[in-house]
Each structure stands twice: as structure tokens, then as C-alpha cells.
Amino acid sequence: MSITALLLAGGASSRMGTRDKLLEDVGGTPLLRERALACLASCADRVRAVLPPDRPERAKVLTGLDVDIIYNDGADVGMSNSLRCGVAGLEAGAVLIVLADLPDLTTPDLDKVMRAADAHPLATILRGADATGKPGHPVLLRQKLYADVMTLSGDTGAQPLLRQYKADTVLVPIGAAALRDLDTPEDWAAWRADRS
């Protein structure tokens, strides 16, 4: 089964004030590029990134990488629009949705969810989960859900689908990385303090 890793980086980063969270430094590399490299190193067949058209710096940090860039003209209407842009025209057997602001997800984490799709062929959705079984990211959707994705609206992303297909979902334990996203300067400060 072919899988495209879909890196969602189309949001406005509004809770960061004047900073763009996806350009924050992670080990000497902007977060967005570091996330793209993690996807490229995974067993995904292709990597596609959804970016907002009004933030050219994001596209710039992906220069030289084998990433298909899709521009989300409706970034202001919520995450669902980013998802629809990313899935439109996709022919892969599944899509692995990777949020660009989850810095702790590793390439092995991504691979673990994708390999679980082979081990659970009847599962419609596979999700990373923390040690307690709380579902998080990344999220793998099989091709049969693409049409459903195209009906999503608002800023809830794939949440309506995740609720609808809960009984057909397999949770893949990958630890705290499945849940930790960094949206504010305080989040970043706490994350850096934990790492130092």
C-alpha cells in the first residue's frame, strides 16, 4: 500500500505573537524543515506539505527537499481546509497526517503507525497514542475516507471522522510525543527547559 505523509503547516501560528512557531529553532534547524526531514526519512512513499501562501519563509525552509508543496488559500477558515487541500487529488492508498507543530514525533514513531496499517488491514484509521491509550498523532486514514475528508469544514480538522470511525480505529502506542504540540511561547519555553 502506498502512503503519502501529509505535513500540515498551513495555520497562522496566531498564538505565538510575532513569532512563527514552525520557524522556531530545533537543534539548529527550523521546526518545519526538521519535521519534513523526519517524514522524508520514514517509510512513506511521498511527502506533501500544506503551506499558507502568505508565509514565504515556510516554503523557503523546505528548499532542496523532495516535498510536494500545496498552498492553502483558506488558511484563515481552519484546519479542515488544510486537510482538504492536502488530500485533494491524492492517489495513495493511505495518508499519514503529521501536524508540523509536534516536535517530539520521530521517524520511528511515524513508521510504527504506518507498519501497523499492514498488521491491521481492516482498520480504517490508525492513530498514535500515549502510554495511557489517549489518542493523538500521527493519524493514518485509508483512501476510502478521502471523500469524507473533502466534506470537512471549520477548525476541528479530522475530528468528526475520528469520532465517526472510532470503532474502526487502531491505537498505536508511541508515548507522550503523540500529544505534545507547541502553540505558544510558553509551550516552547517549557519544551526547551525539558530538553536541557
Side-chain angles (χ1 to χ4, degrees), residues 85 118 157 170 173:
C85 287
D118 288 332
V170 168

Side-chain angles (χ1 to χ4, degrees), residues 72-110:
N72 172 20
D73 289 323
D76 54 331
V77 297
M79 192 191 295
S80 297
N81 205 70
S82 281
L83 256 180
R84 290 199 311 272
C85 287
V87 168
L90 204 60
E91 295 178 359
V95 61
L96 183 75
I97 300 164
V98 181
L99 302 187
D101 62 353
L102 275 75
D104 293 334
L105 282 177
T106 64
T107 295
D109 293 335
L110 306 183

Side-chain angles (χ1 to χ4, degrees), residues 146-161:
Y146 294 176
D148 291 337
V149 169
M150 301 310 289
T151 68
L152 295 171
S153 61
D155 201 29
T156 58
Q159 291 302 321
L161 291 185

Side-chain angles (χ1 to χ4, degrees), residues 11-47:
S13 191
S14 55
R15 290 160 61 189
M16 284 292 288
T18 58
R19 291 154 56 184
D20 184 339
K21 65 182 176 183
L22 300 187
L23 301 179
E24 288 288 310
D25 181 88
V26 176
T29 304
L31 174 62
L32 178 55
R33 185 176 180 90
E34 194 274 337
R35 297 288 74 207
L37 289 168
C39 290
L40 287 165
S42 77
C43 59
D45 299 279
R46 294 290 308 161
V47 178

Side-chain angles (χ1 to χ4, degrees), residues 6-8 35 79 83 95-106 108-114 125-131 133-141 156-159 162 170-183:
L6 180 61
L7 187 59
L8 292 185
R35 297 288 74 207
M79 192 191 295
L83 256 180
V95 61
L96 183 75
I97 300 164
V98 181
L99 302 187
D101 62 353
L102 275 75
D104 293 334
L105 282 177
T106 64
D109 293 335
L110 306 183
D111 286 344
K112 193 171 182 183
V113 174
M114 287 186 277
I125 297 173
L126 294 99
R127 300 184 67 177
D130 73 2
K134 185 174 181 181
H137 294 272
V139 176
L140 183 140
L141 305 178
T156 58
Q159 291 302 321
L162 299 179
V170 168
L171 299 180
V172 183
I174 58 174
L179 300 175
R180 188 164 194 181
D181 62 344
L182 305 181
D183 289 326

